[in-house]
Amino acid sequence: MKYPKIPLAQSIIEIFRAKGIQHIVISPGSRNAPLTIGFVNNPNFTCYSIADERCAAFFALGIAQQINKPVAVVCTSGSALLNFYPAFAEAFYSEIPLIVLSADRPKSKIDIGDGQTIRQENVFANHSLFNANLNEFPSDENDLLINEALNTAFAKCGPVHINAPFEEPLYETVEELSVKPKIVSEEIVSNQIEDISSFAHDWSQSKKKLVLIGGLNPNEIEQKYLDILGNDASVVVMTEVTSNVHHSNYVTNIDTIITPFTEEDFLEFQPDILLTFGGMIVSKRIKVFLRKYQPKQHWHIDKLRAYDTYGCLTKHFEVSPNEFFESFFLKTTSVESDYQEKLLGIREIRSIKHLEYLHKIPFTDLKAFDIILPKLQSNSQLQISNSSPIRYAQLISINPTIEVFCNRGTSGIDGSTSTAIGAASASQKPTVLIAGDIGFLYDSNGLWNNYIPKNFKIILMNNGGGGIFRILPGHDESPVFNTFFETSHCLTAEHLAKMYGFEYLTASNETTLEKGLELMFAQDEKPVLLEVFTPTLENDKVLLQYFRELV
């Protein structure tokens, strides 16, 4: 087998192999040549070449999102490393294990005017779970740092940074290893469930309990526990499109339910206990509600972290939801309540009004989503970009067999396409990305790779700009708004689609959208991009009127 001659590179590669790191996303460069040579020539690794570092990091994030194991992304020295930061921050807040492995100049070459050098050590300090700043020469100290970085990525489900300095020559190879690095096993720490009797007592006494579930991986929570919550008359369970949990009594369209609430409605719905688990919450309205009408107790279940999102966190249970519920439900009893019944009654009214309104509106973003989402293929994967698409998707029911993902850690538009392609390449499932025009154009380099599956499809919502700004307070029709907020444009994705080998389809009304979806799902031999054009000046009016007509 061919190995890099540089011993430090050998140590890194051997420790990665021993730890079971399989997927390596590499951006081209010279300083990282020893790493590239070592990974690519080793059959234990699956390597990907992606030129744009920002796209590469989000692509790696998408793979890690699907396999729930650390994925490494490798770059050369200098500003290349900084382009990893958006995905690095997303990995931190979404609790996705990502390993950044950066090649560097030796310390003697930093800040002396040498080319392609920056201060790379600890560059991700604010969001990194561990920083391994290696020395140029192999040592036990280096081995321990590499081990700890990888162990941390596994144990704490987040991003770590390994910075490795290499001196020239960089491309020399050998046939045998010159090092035998130390391998340190991950220390398994199992959090024990504490005595929860008092919490079970409070739960059993309360007649108004709200369970709010954020983003989760599919099948992460055992269905028997989800059923217990859904069948409890004193519990209202609210989920989001990224929650990936299902029960007939769950409220899946939070904004549709609470946006029309009066002061009296809010007071009646105010819970005594708020129980949360899962990732970040999309709905801004539920955050505003719970911050103003705070529960007496807020409990959060998560093995790693608990954010005080609503300013009233009283307890963090540092175990998995399954471990918590296994013990908790043995100690609880049911209580008479009409809390769930009242909310389900409101849900029924909203559903009727929703259908009436959708039936009469013109072709706009809302109408398009109402057509698109029910036509997604069963047992497929849906990746949604941030800004308007994820919010529209919160309003329409989606087939429960579809797995839904969105980069809600930092809620940025910068890497949705790259993440979706990485996820699709890892999952092998038919995957649809629904993206807005600004986010898609921003990440158009995400299409610049050789790993796009044939069954990958993009539905691009093109309303001529950042439509979300039209529904936010402060919108006015002016050159300043159109240029600096909405970023109005007249661009289409036609030539991008052709350049990257996508079949290109368009739609601009209900009939052409229905036909476009039919053609898109019938194509399995090449990826497809369906661009849906909606009226810039009508979308916000139709959406805002939607919430007014729900009562």
Side-chain angles (χ1 to χ4, degrees):
M1 189 184 300
K2 187 184 292 186
Y3 300 99
K5 185 176 181 180
I6 296 175
L8 176 58
Q10 293 182 15
S11 295
I12 291 170
I13 291 158
E14 283 302 292
I15 296 172
F16 271 55
R17 180 190 60 78
K19 293 291 181 183
I21 307 299
Q22 180 184 355
H23 297 277
I24 313 292
V25 181
I26 302 171
S27 291
S30 183
R31 190 60 49 171
N32 58 332
L35 297 169
T36 301
I37 290 168
F39 284 125
V40 170
N41 286 288
N42 193 314
N44 292 285
F45 302 107
T46 301
C47 295
Y48 310 82
S49 174
I50 297 184
D52 185 315
E53 284 87 5
R54 181 170 58 81
C55 296
F58 276 109
F59 180 91
L61 184 89
I63 298 175
Q65 175 200 86
Q66 295 297 305
I67 67 174
N68 296 311
K69 294 179 181 179
V71 173
V73 60
V74 182
C75 72
T76 190
S77 64
S79 60
L81 176 60
L82 302 181
N83 290 295
F84 286 163
Y85 213 143
F88 198 93
E90 177 64 33
F92 176 81
Y93 288 107
S94 288
E95 297 185 10
I96 294 175
L98 184 70
I99 303 162
V100 163
L101 177 54
S102 57
D104 199 358
R105 297 292 206 270
K107 287 186 178 181
S108 61
K109 299 291 181 65
I110 308 300
D111 287 341
I112 66 166
D114 204 34
Q116 207 168 342
T117 60
I118 64 171
R119 300 172 186 176
Q120 293 185 195
E121 293 187 356
N122 304 317
V123 73
F124 303 123
N126 282 341
H127 297 94
S128 182
L129 299 181
F130 189 82
N131 300 295
N133 298 307
L134 307 182
N135 295 312
E136 184 181 349
F137 303 101
S139 64
D140 288 350
E141 179 185 4
N142 274 344
D143 291 351
L144 292 174
L145 288 171
I146 299 165
N147 275 275
E148 188 166 358
L150 302 188
N151 289 344
T152 300
F154 275 104
K156 296 187 177 180
C157 295
V160 298
H161 178 207
I162 301 172
N163 191 61
F166 299 121
E167 184 57 281
E168 298 177 6
L170 302 167
Y171 293 88
E172 294 182 335
T173 61
V174 294
E175 298 297 322
E176 293 184 358
L177 292 169
S178 60
V179 298
K180 188 174 182 180
K182 291 182 177 294
I183 307 299
V184 180
S185 299
E186 178 188 350
E187 185 179 346
I188 306 297
V189 178
S190 180
N191 294 340
Q192 298 298 316
I193 187 74
E194 60 192 279
D195 184 0
I196 55 175
S197 300
S198 63
F199 297 97
H201 175 268
D202 290 347
W203 181 270
S204 299
Q205 295 296 309
S206 171
K207 296 184 177 183
K208 294 167 65 177
K209 297 170 291 234
L210 174 62
V211 176
L212 181 58
I213 306 177
L216 289 169
N217 291 323
N219 305 311
E220 187 172 339
I221 312 298
E222 290 188 38
Q223 189 62 42
K224 62 182 178 181
Y225 302 134
L226 298 171
D227 291 342
I228 291 172
L229 292 170
N231 293 327
D232 190 324
S234 65
V235 174
V236 168
V237 179
M238 287 189 156
T239 68
E240 299 200 294
V241 69
T242 55
S243 298
N244 289 303
V245 294
H246 306 283
H247 188 279
S248 59
N249 290 338
Y250 286 2
V251 174
T252 60
N253 46 351
I254 299 173
D255 290 352
T256 300
I257 297 294
I258 71 172
T259 300
F261 269 8
T262 63
E263 177 80 10
E264 183 180 352
D265 293 329
F266 280 125
L267 287 169
E268 188 168 2
F269 181 50
Q270 182 178 13
D272 298 320
I273 297 173
L274 170 65
L275 177 65
T276 58
F277 54 94
M280 300 295 191
I281 295 296
V282 176
S283 172
K284 185 176 180 180
R285 288 177 172 87
I286 196 69
K287 294 176 190 175
V288 171
F289 162 65
L290 290 170
R291 286 166 184 163
K292 183 175 181 180
Y293 301 89
Q294 294 183 340
K296 296 182 181 71
Q297 299 185 63
H298 172 202
W299 310 338
H300 186 73
I301 311 169
D302 191 282
K303 292 174 69 174
L304 300 171
R305 293 182 232 167
Y307 293 115
D308 192 8
T309 306
Y310 314 104
C312 55
L313 183 68
T314 54
K315 183 62 182 177
H316 175 201
F317 294 101
E318 297 181 54
V319 293
S320 71
N322 286 329
E323 290 171 318
F324 174 80
F325 291 131
E326 182 181 17
S327 299
F328 187 68
F329 287 138
L330 294 175
K331 300 177 182 294
T332 60
T333 56
S334 59
V335 61
E336 236 180 85
S337 173
D338 60 359
Y339 188 54
Q340 183 186 96
E341 182 183 8
K342 286 182 177 179
L343 252 294
L344 293 182
I346 293 171
R347 186 184 71 173
E348 183 63 27
I349 293 170
R350 298 279 195 270
S351 178
I352 294 169
K353 295 293 185 181
H354 169 93
L355 293 173
E356 290 175 354
Y357 185 73
L358 266 294
H359 182 70
K360 67 182 182 181
I361 62 174
F363 187 74
T364 51
D365 282 346
L366 182 58
K367 186 68 172 180
F369 272 87
D370 187 51
I371 295 170
I372 292 167
L373 294 181
K375 286 188 164 47
L376 297 176
Q377 296 172 302
S378 297
N379 301 304
S380 63
Q381 182 180 124
L382 172 63
Q383 294 273 342
I384 311 178
S385 74
N386 277 304
S387 206
S388 295
I390 186 63
R391 287 170 171 81
Y392 277 110
Q394 296 270 97
L395 306 176
I396 313 292
S397 296
I398 293 180
N399 182 329
T401 69
I402 297 172
E403 300 174 351
V404 185
F405 299 89
C406 179
N407 286 346
R408 288 307 296 179
T410 62
S411 306
I413 65 168
D414 37 8
S416 296
T417 301
S418 300
T419 302
I421 294 171
S425 70
S427 74
Q428 303 296 310
K429 284 192 169 187
T431 299
V432 173
L433 165 67
I434 301 180
D437 48 355
I438 300 298
F440 174 79
L441 292 170
Y442 194 95
D443 194 30
S444 59
N445 268 4
L447 303 178
W448 180 19
N449 66 71
N450 297 318
Y451 311 105
I452 302 173
K454 291 181 180 179
N455 59 1
F456 182 72
K457 306 182 193 313
I458 298 173
I459 299 175
L460 174 57
M461 305 299 300
N462 191 339
N463 52 29
I468 191 170
F469 289 102
R470 290 183 165 269
I471 63 174
L472 298 176
H475 162 239
D476 66 334
E477 207 63 48
S478 68
V480 170
F481 173 82
N482 294 338
T483 301
F484 294 99
F485 290 92
E486 187 180 38
T487 55
S488 301
H489 67 87
C490 297
L491 301 174
T492 78
E494 179 179 4
H495 297 295
L496 278 171
K498 290 179 180 178
M499 181 167 69
Y500 291 116
F502 278 70
E503 181 173 336
Y504 178 70
L505 305 169
T506 64
S508 56
N509 55 47
E510 292 182 44
T511 302
T512 54
L513 179 55
E514 297 266 6
K515 183 63 176 176
L517 290 168
E518 181 182 339
L519 292 171
M520 184 181 77
F521 289 121
Q523 173 60 273
D524 287 324
E525 296 305 312
K526 64 189 299 189
V528 181
L529 192 155
L530 169 60
E531 188 162 15
V532 183
F533 296 95
T534 62
T536 304
L537 301 180
E538 297 299 322
N539 289 315
D540 60 312
K541 298 181 181 67
V542 167
L543 180 62
L544 293 172
Q545 186 62 27
Y546 167 75
F547 292 111
R548 298 187 189 106
E549 297 203 16
L550 287 172
V551 291

